[in-house]
Amino acid sequence: MQVFESLESRMLLAAGALDPTFGSGGKVLTGFAGTAFAGARDAALQSDGKIVVLTEDNDPASARLVRFSANGQADNTFASGGAALLGFQPAAFAVRTDNKIVVAGYDPANLKNLLLARFNANGQVDTSFGGGDGQVSQPYFGGDQTGSKTVNKILVRPDNNRVYVLGDVDRFSSGLTQFALSAFDDSGDPYAQFGDQYVNGTTTEFGYTNHLTDAVLTSDGHIVAVGTMTVSDSHHPNVQQDFAVARYDEHGLLDSSFSGDGKLLIDFGDYPRSDPNSETDDAFDFAQSATLDPAGNLLVVGYSHDPTDNDPFYTAVARVKPDGNLDATFGPGGADGDGRVTLALTAQSFPQHEIAALSNGKLLLGTEVPGADGEDFGLARLKADGSLDGSFGSAGVARTDFEGIDLPNRLLIQSGDRAILAGSSVESFLGGGMGSSELAMARYTLDETTPPPAQTPFGGTPWALPGVLEFEDFDNGGEGVAYHDTDAVNQGEAWRTTGVDIQRVPNNSNDFTLAFAKAGEWTEYTINAAQTGTYNVDITYASLKGGGKFHLEVDGKAVTPVITVKSTGDWQSYQTLPLSGINLTAGQHVLRLAMDGNDSTGYVANFNRARFAQAGTRSPFNGAPFIPNVQIEAEDYDRGGEGVAYHDTDVQNVGFSYRTNEGVDVQPAGDTGGGLNVGYAKASEWLIYSLNVQTPGTFGMQVRVASLKGGGRFHFEIDGRTVASFTAPNTGNWQKYVTLSSAKNISLAAGAHTLRLVMDANDS
């Protein structure tokens, strides 16, 4: 009998496929509170693979740095809740080798000046930079220009953290700009040995006007800037543009070993390129992005377009050798030889392009490609000779639709075998026009690879909501798919053999808890909501010291803020933390429990279970009704919220304890045994408790009360019938308690009942 390999083990993810371990199904799409416009203006990787994004906004005050985990999850440990608001108009940023982040932008207090801001690796302001506020304002090119300036790139030299800021400047207010470079020491002071004619500045002209778009640092410390030279004067009535390249030494002087004078113009001519003579060429050749390949060659990408012939916008790529000559081995031959390649990838006018070089000599190009909704993210792979690599994506191009007008802006290579496109997805309307935008990212596999294990519910069935979810029963799928743990060992040595740490709850052999949870870890659960609506969830947890932080996500988006847990006194002493306002549509979702910050012990908390209930539906606080002859804690009123399980005259818990997201005022109690009490009780407020009488009988009531003055009145109802009324005596202190008793004349039949505590009148 012939035995065949299983189908599952033979299935492979094709090169160019979306990586399902990234974000949600390979994609991240997110907006930010307080702004309708968000997108990636710039993006970079930290050394641990985490993704830092500089968002752009129509309001400069809303621009921010945000960070995502290496797998595309929001990183709430960064700055404040995952984002650092800048408070000024940023232009570009760079990540240093120590993961500190340097942002370059415009000083709102002095428009001639450049503003440099520095942040620590965790997104907090680096107070060692500037005057303690993490900012330095410096003249851009000595501040001698009177015209406009633009910053487009920032580079950090890895050996000494020198900062190079690049863009263009109109020094003479003539409307014509030049390439412009400034340099600053690690302290933010101008680098005194930079530039020849200008204080801390170098400018370079190629022709009529010039625009710098990108730059790279070579391994020997040279600066290579790329952009565009534009000619439009009486000798050239039609606009002519060429790629422009300049290479400088570390002091900002043009490097004459590059193309003889440090400068190079690259002309793509008309398409097909039949006349490469720049004096008669009317085409736009606009350079946008540059990179270096492993051999030290410079790769430049942009677009080429001849408006006089109504030509489309072609993707244009050039490869330049270290000596400044075009590499004749690049290009598949014919008109596309001699170091230049033009490709019909995009139909978008003035498209954005990004380029990256792979270790195997192949190239990646990111751009906008036609899609059903307008434009989609497009990632193309070229062979070493510049021809499309048909083994990648579909005929050499991978496409991703975020169901909007999708505009990629940055291309990152992660771990050598994954590529990330970052940009924005803009809402489009029928009949034209664009609305709000969101930050969009997609990650692609670069080689044929075995897909990760499928994520499936533990036990085979999603958790039904409303209902109880056990945190130790996270989904199947393994590390990076259904969970992430910082080590591969189950430190609790219980229940499951994955890397997630699970402990047995003492004195209960059938109860387990998620333990040893650390910042950065997460577990996921497939859930199924019975109805669309708002849900409340109660988290049962334990914490020795308190101070750990976590949050919940649904389908990749945070549904709670970052929550700080309080101490329960012991790792196995459990309390319930109520949360509300989680909106779910009916059907299946993925819930994530994400750890954001450790407490002083180095852990977040132990997580036992979560109980979900639809808002507006009343249910017993601990899942089961109280029974007679058992003490009822006043703070354990039913779940269901304002007007359903309780009524309070304000929306805030002024006791700041226990059920802090509800209006009932709960505070620590000074009674025997400690615990909590419902305080600040006022006339007309009420609380409901579910009862279950197992044996019919006649009962009385006792209640522990404290009152500074006495005279407040309250009563109890069962099933709407008043069964006991009380007046609080003067106990001398709000935390000095006495017991009040009623007659034993409350007859109750077996079964479910509703107990209501009603406040009737205030004291003095």
Side-chain angles (χ1 to χ4, degrees), residues 490-521:
N490 178 351
Q491 297 183 54
E493 300 180 343
W495 191 233
R496 300 173 72 173
T497 57
T498 68
V500 179
D501 308 310
I502 301 173
Q503 277 184 329
R504 195 179 300 275
V505 175
N507 304 317
N508 190 338
S509 61
N510 294 317
D511 196 7
F512 300 90
T513 189
L514 207 67
F516 304 101
K518 289 187 175 182
E521 297 181 343

Side-chain angles (χ1 to χ4, degrees), residues 51-181:
I51 308 156
V52 182
V53 178
L54 174 63
T55 69
E56 54 187 355
D57 195 277
N58 60 333
D59 179 5
S62 296
R64 68 197 76 200
L65 287 170
V66 295
R67 191 169 73 182
F68 298 84
S69 72
N71 283 334
Q73 307 301 326
D75 183 359
N76 289 298
T77 66
F78 182 77
S80 176
L85 280 171
L86 300 180
F88 62 91
Q89 184 179 356
F93 80 99
V95 176
R96 306 191 331 177
T97 55
D98 60 0
N99 286 333
K100 287 190 176 185
I101 302 163
V102 185
V103 184
Y106 307 99
D107 187 350
N110 184 349
L111 296 180
K112 280 191 175 184
N113 275 15
L114 169 80
L115 191 67
L116 293 176
R118 196 163 76 193
F119 298 84
N120 292 317
N122 62 2
Q124 301 296 331
V125 169
D126 182 358
T127 56
S128 68
F129 187 70
D133 60 354
Q135 295 185 357
V136 171
S137 180
Q138 293 288 6
Y140 190 46
F141 306 101
D144 62 345
Q145 82 284 356
T146 57
S148 63
K149 67 177 184 293
T150 302
V151 175
N152 286 323
K153 188 70 175 182
I154 180 172
L155 300 170
V156 177
R157 185 169 164 141
D159 58 343
N160 57 19
N161 290 320
R162 185 177 303 142
V163 175
Y164 299 106
V165 180
L166 304 96
D168 32 77
V169 63
D170 178 2
R171 289 178 31 241
F172 307 112
S173 297
S174 62
L176 306 179
T177 58
Q178 300 83 37
F179 280 20
L181 293 77

Side-chain angles (χ1 to χ4, degrees), residues 189-214:
D189 294 329
Y191 174 45
Q193 300 179 51
F194 195 78
D196 51 357
Q197 301 179 53
Y198 313 106
V199 178
N200 184 35
T202 290
T203 58
T204 302
E205 296 183 12
F206 293 84
Y208 190 69
T209 191
N210 314 271
H211 179 57
L212 186 150
T213 51
D214 201 7

